Amino acid sequence: MTDDLPMPARPSRRAFLRHTGVLGAATAITASLAACGGPPSTDRVAGKGGAGRNTIEATLAFTLSGGFDPMNASSAVATAVNQHVFEALIDLDPITREPYLALAAKQPEVSADGLTWTVPLRAGARFSDGTTVTAQDVAWSFNRAADPANQSLMAEFIPFLDRAGARDSSTVEFRLRTPFSLFPQRIAVIKIVPKARTTGAAAAKAFDTAPIGSGPFTVRSANSTSGVVMGVNPHYDGPRPARVERISLYTTPDNTARVSDLRGGQSEATEAVPYLDVRSVADGHRIDSKQAFNHLFLMFNCAAAPFSDKRVRQALFHAIDTERVIRTALEGYGTPATSYLDEANPAHRRAATVYDYDPGRAERLLAAAGASRLSFELVTTDTGFVKDSAPLIIDSWKKVGVHATLNTNPSSAVYDRLVPGKDFRVLAASGDPSVFGPDVDLLLRWFYYGETWPVQRARWTDPAAERCAALIDSAAKAKGGAQQRLWQQALDLIADEAPLYPVFHTRTVTGSDPNKLTGFRGAATTGLYFLGVSRKA
């Protein structure tokens, strides 16, 4: 998952609240919600034009980009919202990352050869439009995401799937191409959608902006400028019932605005508390600080000299005084990367190659590669900690004779225009695919498998890239210690090649008002989550 689009000028809070029922009617998303009638109404709450004891208001650090269709939604806001609106057969708790039964009535069962899994559905489950969730809907959701014609972002996470089918109306059968030991956990990436609402291009387009799920909440209104309002799905009967009648999510990358919302009482929670403000916000509020996978990475155009030489890529990492960057730009809320995985991940092991600060070694590597007078443009996204870190990284490079100019842009411009361009050489940005799951196979596949990141963006297509993909595939078929060893080989190869690699992993810092919320905790990923959370009277 990558950074979201930046937010245009923010409307006043009063204007937002006055229009929560018809927020941003001119936008495609809200227009579609209105045209389709939307989910069941919660206007008796939304129409009050302000917070009530059955309402949660919170502020997110990104803005909504794209739609909500879960087979393609990857923006920070959409993935957070979808966790409230959709269900998978097995879901991952957004805070603990532990799996729990959602639409599945019990744990999946596997055949002796490991190629067939069956899952019974929770009796009585219904979508927010009142229709019953059937095995046909579940099979359709998986086959739809796996179909290459649909170009789903989730397809790369389920390469083991041959076909899903309905054994009967309440039992789903999955046929696998190869055994995959992580199946019960991995199926959390596929959120279940109604077949009737997503068959055909026109229906799918409408669904993307007016989603219908079986989760405890529904999208009442959404706007790329202002935020998202969720109401209750009255048909929900699962394990995580709504404990409030409305959730209003404001959206802004502006650090000052988020802190002001929390301090001023407009929001009960905010994500990405600015590192400089943590101590002051902690006076009167709860702070959750958690080691995260989310990281600042460098990505190179591996097809363009001299970055096609891994020694140049390695040199630029060794030249960075990462501890200084973390201390200065993040107030210490980060950890130097010792692997692609963050140190809180149970599978973390120190990589064979670790980029300690070593300017002398950086100079020697550059000289050996014939790139001692290196000059290039560093493209960055406009995420706060990326913008704060980039000048310090450039300053480190100057000390080894490398000159870089800075070009900071919104993520939309970075990934749609700058990275695909012929002049692109180096990118500094952030990413957090752990919102989809923390297992090593999933995290490796996001950046180092398939077309989008390794081929189209990093242009990493040499034999080392092929070995990496082969190791990922081999590990997927293995179990236990053999699987762990193959993953570590892939992680060591990636660290050595560094086509796209983290400089540091961050800590997520979430602020909340303990006098207003019960059961809320900050996540180690991007996003705010209110499953099981209620307002104090």
Side-chain angles (χ1 to χ4, degrees):
M1 193 177 88
T2 54
D3 307 325
D4 278 290
L5 295 172
M7 189 185 78
R10 193 182 195 205
S12 69
R13 177 75 65 218
R14 181 175 298 176
F16 175 82
L17 291 172
R18 186 170 64 248
H19 294 289
T20 50
V22 289
L23 188 154
T27 69
I29 289 178
T30 306
S32 180
L33 281 166
C36 295
S41 177
T42 56
D43 287 343
R44 66 188 182 90
V45 177
K48 291 181 179 179
R53 67 182 182 88
N54 288 322
T55 295
I56 290 174
E57 296 186 307
T59 308
L60 301 177
F62 299 95
T63 52
L64 177 64
S65 59
F68 296 100
D69 189 330
M71 79 171 183
N72 277 319
S74 67
S75 75
V77 175
T79 51
V81 169
N82 284 354
Q83 188 66 34
H84 300 79
V85 171
F86 294 99
E87 291 181 286
L89 292 169
I90 306 288
D91 265 319
L92 300 181
D93 185 285
I95 309 303
T96 68
R97 313 306 285 153
E98 293 296 320
Y100 66 91
L101 298 179
L103 277 172
K106 62 180 183 178
Q107 289 293 330
E109 296 181 353
V110 64
S111 61
D113 63 4
L115 294 176
T116 302
W117 291 79
T118 55
V119 186
L121 302 187
R122 184 179 80 226
R126 287 194 286 172
F127 293 109
S128 59
D129 63 358
T131 59
T132 299
V133 180
T134 68
Q136 287 80 8
D137 292 312
V138 176
W140 163 257
S141 299
F142 276 86
N143 293 332
R144 175 175 180 254
D147 186 348
N150 292 326
Q151 298 182 320
S152 168
L153 290 175
M154 299 300 109
E156 63 191 76
F157 295 147
I158 53 172
F160 52 80
L161 180 65
D162 181 25
R163 190 73 181 169
R167 178 174 291 184
D168 54 48
S169 62
S170 60
T171 307
V172 189
E173 181 176 280
F174 298 90
R175 289 289 300 169
L176 275 55
R177 293 188 175 94
T178 59
F180 184 61
S181 62
L182 301 177
F183 178 88
Q185 178 177 334
R186 178 58 57 78
I187 56 177
V189 302
I190 303 298
K191 304 299 184 183
I192 306 308
V193 302
K195 182 177 181 179
R197 295 271 191 170
T198 52
T199 300
K205 183 177 181 180
F207 183 84
D208 194 35
T209 55
I212 301 294
S214 62
F217 291 94
T218 65
V219 174
R220 288 298 305 146
S221 56
N223 183 279
S224 61
T225 300
S226 307
V228 179
V229 176
M230 292 185 284
V232 176
N233 172 8
H235 305 291
Y236 180 76
D237 65 349
R240 303 286 176 101
R243 300 191 183 278
V244 293
E245 294 185 62
R246 188 183 70 183
I247 299 174
S248 295
L249 299 175
Y250 310 119
T251 57
T252 176
D254 186 284
N255 288 342
T256 301
R258 291 196 308 280
V259 172
S260 296
D261 281 354
L262 186 62
R263 285 176 173 158
Q266 290 96 339
S267 290
E268 287 81 60
T270 184
E271 72 167 328
V273 174
Y275 299 125
L276 282 170
D277 295 312
V278 172
R279 290 185 180 179
S280 62
V281 170
D283 183 13
H285 296 90
R286 170 175 171 156
I287 292 291
D288 287 314
S289 173
K290 296 185 176 181
Q291 178 62 56
F293 174 86
N294 190 34
H295 57 261
L296 182 148
F297 63 80
L298 295 180
M299 183 184 77
F300 303 92
N301 180 343
C302 297
F307 304 102
S308 53
D309 188 329
K310 73 177 181 181
R311 292 173 296 182
V312 174
R313 307 193 294 261
Q314 292 172 340
L316 292 180
F317 278 98
H318 276 302
I320 299 172
D321 188 347
T322 305
E323 293 282 4
R324 174 175 175 250
V325 175
I326 292 172
R327 185 173 61 251
T328 306
L330 279 72
E331 293 291 309
Y333 287 91
T335 306
T338 57
S339 169
Y340 169 63
L341 303 179
D342 65 279
E343 294 185 1
N345 191 300
H348 174 272
R349 302 290 184 276
R350 188 177 175 91
T353 301
V354 174
Y355 293 101
D356 297 321
Y357 179 46
D358 191 340
R361 186 173 183 182
E363 290 176 331
R364 292 191 296 273
L365 285 166
L366 289 170
S372 295
R373 300 175 63 105
L374 185 59
S375 178
F376 58 89
E377 177 184 80
L378 176 66
V379 175
T380 78
T381 57
D382 61 355
T383 301
F385 74 85
V386 176
K387 289 195 297 183
D388 293 342
S389 300
L392 296 166
I393 292 172
I394 288 176
D395 186 58
S396 286
W397 287 339
K398 283 182 182 178
K399 295 175 182 178
V400 297
V402 172
H403 177 72
T405 57
L406 190 59
N407 184 3
T408 299
N409 277 269
S411 294
S412 57
V414 167
Y415 293 111
D416 293 344
R417 178 171 56 84
L418 296 176
V419 167
K422 64 181 178 62
D423 296 326
F424 166 69
R425 293 298 180 267
V426 186
L427 168 71
S430 66
D432 188 11
S434 69
V435 294
F436 301 114
D439 73 78
V440 183
D441 178 83
L442 183 151
L443 297 176
L444 285 172
R445 287 182 185 277
W446 183 260
F447 281 124
Y448 305 109
Y449 195 93
E451 291 291 316
T452 301
W453 284 98
V455 177
Q456 297 174 5
R457 292 177 175 172
R459 284 85 150 175
W460 189 45
T461 58
D462 62 16
E466 295 175 3
R467 289 199 304 274
C468 182
L471 285 168
I472 294 171
D473 280 337
S474 296
K477 301 172 188 177
K479 295 181 181 180
Q483 186 176 64
Q484 296 292 333
R485 287 189 292 274
L486 288 165
W487 278 340
Q488 193 59 47
Q489 289 178 42
L491 292 167
D492 287 345
L493 184 153
I494 289 164
D496 181 61
E497 292 287 332
L500 179 158
Y501 201 68
V503 176
F504 57 76
H505 295 277
T506 68
R507 294 187 68 87
T508 63
V509 182
T510 306
S512 61
D513 189 338
N515 297 314
K516 294 181 180 179
L517 297 180
T518 297
F520 176 80
R521 289 177 293 166
T525 64
T526 52
L528 297 172
Y529 302 92
F530 300 98
L531 299 174
V533 178
S534 58
R535 277 290 299 262
K536 290 186 177 179

